[in-house]
Amino acid sequence: SSKNTIISLGSNDWDKMTSSNLLEIRKKIDGKVYWILPSPSLKPLERQAVIEIAHEFHDVIIDRPKQLSPDGIHPTYNGYRELAEKTK
């Protein structure tokens, strides 16, 4: 059986990650990988780095859900359901 990995970087995570860190992590993962893109308004450069790495490995890219909580960052319950549906 193959395994699935979901990588979701939050707005606070990038301070500890660089493109080269993400690339090294990705090289160690076997199986199908899903990347949830960070916010384009908060992390445009980081978002582009994720897209480039995901394309290099032919991974699945999932954009942020449309249903967000009032803070405009975190998904609502239905937003999380939307994300889960995209990993099937």
Side-chain angles (χ1 to χ4, degrees):
S1 83
S2 65
K3 65 180 179 178
N4 295 323
T5 302
I6 298 173
I7 302 174
S8 175
L9 298 173
S11 8
N12 298 326
D13 294 329
W14 200 263
D15 294 337
K16 301 171 189 88
M17 287 285 154
T18 64
S19 291
S20 59
N21 292 133
L22 286 176
L23 182 58
E24 289 306 310
I25 290 168
R26 177 57 188 91
K27 287 178 181 178
K28 296 176 184 178
I29 300 172
D30 292 322
K32 192 167 191 171
V33 175
Y34 298 86
W35 293 85
I36 299 175
L37 291 175
S39 169
S41 59
L42 296 176
K43 300 289 181 176
L45 297 176
E46 294 82 348
R47 182 180 170 96
Q48 187 58 40
V50 166
I51 290 169
E52 290 171 10
I53 293 168
H55 281 161
E56 180 177 339
F57 289 89
H58 307 286
D59 296 334
V60 177
I61 298 171
I62 301 173
D63 210 345
R64 294 164 23 98
K66 301 208 182 319
Q67 299 181 48
L68 298 174
S69 64
D71 67 9
I73 298 170
H74 300 95
T76 62
Y77 175 80
N78 287 330
Y80 280 111
R81 288 181 67 90
E82 180 184 333
L83 290 174
E85 289 294 319
K86 292 179 180 180
T87 63
K88 290 184 177 181

